[in-house]
Amino acid sequence: MGCPRDSDMQQDALGGARATNEWTGLQRGDLIFWTGHVAIARDAETMIHANAHHMATVIENTRAAVARIKAAGSEIVAIKRL
C-alpha cells in the first residue's frame, strides 16, 4: 500500500479510526493527526515526529507533546490504527 505525501491525505487514506480521546491507549504504529501534522506512536507512552519545537525528528513523551501542541492551539483531529 502506498502512503500519500501530505498529512491530510494520509489521514483520509490510512488505517481505521479510533476516538481522539483514546490517545492514552496507543499502540506501536498508531498514527496521531493534528491539522498539518502527524506523529507515529512508538509505544503506549512515546511517539516519534518531526516538529518545529525541537527543529528535529524526536522521540517524545506523548502526554507532554499533546499538552504542548494543545497549548499552542492545535487539537488532535484523528487517531488511526493500521
Side-chain angles (χ1 to χ4, degrees):
M1 163 182 25
C3 180
R5 184 186 80 116
D6 295 331
S7 62
D8 60 334
M9 293 185 283
Q10 293 169 4
Q11 181 181 334
D12 290 341
L14 301 175
R18 299 183 62 221
T20 56
N21 62 351
E22 293 181 11
W23 63 268
T24 55
L26 295 172
Q27 295 180 8
R28 183 179 190 89
D30 284 351
L31 302 173
I32 309 162
F33 292 92
W34 294 264
T35 300
H37 186 69
V38 62
I40 303 169
R42 193 167 160 256
D43 54 35
E45 297 179 7
T46 60
M47 64 184 206
I48 185 168
H49 65 135
N51 66 77
H53 180 74
H54 294 98
M55 294 305 291
T57 301
V58 296
I59 295 171
E60 189 171 7
N61 176 278
T62 303
R63 184 177 303 274
V66 168
R68 186 186 72 250
I69 294 166
K70 183 176 182 174
S74 188
E75 299 274 350
I76 294 173
V77 295
I79 298 173
K80 305 292 271 302
R81 181 163 292 156
L82 298 177

